[in-house]
Amino acid sequence: MRRLSLLAASLSLLVCAGAAFAQAGRTDLQPLPAVPPPPPEMVPFDAAMEPQVTIKKRENETVEEYRVNGKLYMLKVTPNHGVPYYLVDDQGDGTFSRKDPVDSGVRVPMWVIGTF
């Protein structure tokens, strides 16, 4: 019981000393301004950075081609019956990989441990 009261007393003394030190040490504090500063300027609109979209309708699907500066970087394929999917050029080398909208990208490893 005596240890507990000694611990509580030393803890309260430490808290009081910390509060007094925090208040006494700073003299360079200034009040916050009444009106916050305005937000930074926005980047001017650049039409060259907007993607050019070309829509091609075929018998069984609709293909949307996305280009920036004339370079094809993504295709959105929407089949007549099914879920749309994307073909994306991740590296910029012309090799497209399929990205499904419901695909999280996580692949569970599946190895054959043993056969009987």
Side-chain angles (χ1 to χ4, degrees):
M1 184 72 177
R2 188 170 185 198
R3 281 186 176 172
L4 185 60
S5 62
L6 183 62
L7 179 65
S10 62
L11 186 61
S12 64
L13 181 63
L14 183 64
V15 168
C16 292
F21 178 73
Q23 289 178 356
R26 301 289 307 253
T27 59
D28 60 338
L29 297 178
Q30 298 175 359
L32 291 175
V35 178
E41 293 291 324
M42 292 185 61
V43 177
F45 177 74
D46 186 10
M49 293 304 294
E50 288 292 313
Q52 296 107 18
V53 181
T54 306
I55 300 174
K56 296 180 180 178
K57 295 193 180 223
R58 299 182 181 159
E59 288 182 21
N60 300 332
E61 61 192 12
T62 302
V63 178
E64 299 175 27
E65 297 177 350
Y66 293 85
R67 299 174 191 273
V68 170
N69 295 329
K71 183 167 173 128
L72 181 65
Y73 71 93
M74 182 175 69
L75 296 165
K76 178 182 178 185
V77 180
T78 307
N80 289 341
H81 303 288
V83 179
Y85 60 92
Y86 295 87
L87 298 173
V88 181
D89 184 8
D90 291 325
Q91 304 296 322
D93 59 356
T95 304
F96 289 88
S97 60
R98 183 174 173 154
K99 306 282 184 186
D100 291 314
V102 294
D103 184 16
S104 66
V106 176
R107 301 286 181 260
V108 178
M110 291 188 249
W111 295 288
V112 176
I113 295 175
T115 57
F116 298 97

